[in-house]
């Protein structure tokens, strides 16, 4: 009986292997638009330029933000880094979309996620949007494990809830709640590393698995070469 169950288990998952490219395809379809628009907005092509060659450079506003230590990132060589980040994301996003050079493209994109997490989002903690209920917050699990910072995150959720309630009260009293809430309820942007970390994990998976069987140009080019 035990052997029959094991045999059935292996038989089912062997047949499902034909669909093993689906996760990579979904990852690519989620990542590609994010990377394309992020890169586009870093480049001069997203604004007004006075010359042809300037189209290939990074946007001056982005260069200033990369380099300024007071209100920006304070990074060295801001022109070069903004240029590399912009084109890595813009071109990399399009290549991810069609599944071409997927493993190679994932490398610089993972690097940009690490830079974004450590230089822009790190000091804000994990959450991209601050949770308002500590009982349903993922930090609750970390608190059970006595992970440093978890208790502070739960306390922050209570403070966020208090502020959201005050905002809602003001809107109810003085505003147009039906109109203002039509597209969603108010939230507080925590701007933590959550999205950067998730995108990094997805890119890391693509680095090891590739663009996916049957659903990427990489697969069909490799089949043609073989």
């Amino acid at each position: 009986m035990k052997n029959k169950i094991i045999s059935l288990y292996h038989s089912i998952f062997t047949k499902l292997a034909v669909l093993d490219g689906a996760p990579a395809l979904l990852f690519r379809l989620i990542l590609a638009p994010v990377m394309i628009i992020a890169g586009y907005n870093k480049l001069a092509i997203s604004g007004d330029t006075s010359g042809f060659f300037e189209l290939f450079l990074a946007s001056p506003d982005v260069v200033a933000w990369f380099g300024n230590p007071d209100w920006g990132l304070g990074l060295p060589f801001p022109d070069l880094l903004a240029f590399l980040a912009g084109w890595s994301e813009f071109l990399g996003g399009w290549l991810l979309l069609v599944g071409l050079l997927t493993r190679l493209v994932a490398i610089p994109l993972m690097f940009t996620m690490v830079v974004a997490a450590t230089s822009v989002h790190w000091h804000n903690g994990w959450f991209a949007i601050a949770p308002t209920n500590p009982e349903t917050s993922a930090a609750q699990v970390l608190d059970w494990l006595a992970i440093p910072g978890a208790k502070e995150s739960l306390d922050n959720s209570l403070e966020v809830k208090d502020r959201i309630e005050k905002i809602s009260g003001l809107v109810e009293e003085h505003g147009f709640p039906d109109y203002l809430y039509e597209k969603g309820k108010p939230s507080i942007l925590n701007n933590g590393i959550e999205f950067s970390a998730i995108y990094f994990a997805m890119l890391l998976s693509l680095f090891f698995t590739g663009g996916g069987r049957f659903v990427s140009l990489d697969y069909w080019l490799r089949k043609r070469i073989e």
Side-chain angles (χ1 to χ4, degrees):
M1 183 65 178
K2 181 180 178 181
N3 290 336
K4 288 184 179 180
I5 293 174
I6 294 174
S7 177
L8 178 62
Y9 174 86
H10 284 294
S11 175
I12 291 173
F13 282 94
T14 298
K15 292 177 181 177
L16 286 176
V18 71
L19 301 174
D20 62 9
L25 174 62
L26 292 176
F27 282 3
R28 285 169 32 222
L29 293 178
I30 292 170
L31 287 165
V34 175
M35 298 301 166
I36 290 170
I37 198 63
Y40 177 77
N41 285 314
K42 288 184 178 70
L43 298 172
I45 55 176
S46 63
D48 296 326
T49 55
S50 58
F52 175 75
F53 291 105
E54 289 184 8
L55 291 171
F56 298 95
L57 301 178
S59 169
D61 293 341
V62 174
V63 172
W65 179 61
F66 268 49
N68 193 289
D70 296 323
W71 47 263
L73 303 180
L75 297 174
F77 313 111
D79 295 85
L80 176 61
L81 292 180
F83 172 84
L84 292 175
W87 282 108
S88 293
E89 292 172 342
F90 186 64
L91 290 180
W94 288 111
L95 291 172
L96 282 180
L97 189 63
V98 298
L100 180 62
L101 304 176
T102 306
R103 286 186 169 93
L104 183 63
V105 165
I107 296 172
L109 293 179
M110 282 192 289
F111 181 75
T112 62
M113 292 303 100
V114 171
V115 172
T118 55
S119 63
V120 180
H121 305 288
W122 188 264
H123 64 282
N124 294 318
W126 171 260
F127 294 107
I129 303 295
T132 58
N133 186 352
E135 294 183 2
T136 59
S137 170
Q140 186 78 262
V141 178
L142 302 181
D143 189 47
W144 294 342
L145 300 173
I147 302 297
K151 181 64 167 59
E152 289 79 358
S153 180
L154 295 174
D155 292 340
N156 184 64
S157 291
L158 293 174
E159 294 186 20
V160 168
K161 180 181 180 182
D162 181 62
R163 286 159 173 76
I164 290 293
E165 288 176 349
K166 285 183 170 60
I167 292 171
S168 299
L170 291 170
V171 170
E172 293 288 341
E173 183 178 357
H174 302 290
F176 303 91
D178 292 340
Y179 169 74
L180 293 174
Y181 296 160
E182 183 181 5
K183 301 300 183 180
K185 293 296 181 68
S187 62
I188 293 180
L189 178 67
N190 201 56
N191 209 25
I193 70 169
E194 185 175 9
F195 290 154
S196 295
I198 291 172
Y199 295 154
F200 177 87
M202 295 167 72
L203 288 163
L204 183 64
S205 176
L206 290 175
F207 174 75
F208 285 107
T209 65
R213 184 162 53 158
F214 303 129
V215 295
S216 67
L217 287 182
D218 286 335
Y219 173 81
W220 294 109
L221 287 174
R222 186 169 64 250
K223 291 284 288 184
R224 186 177 182 85
I225 293 172
E226 292 174 353

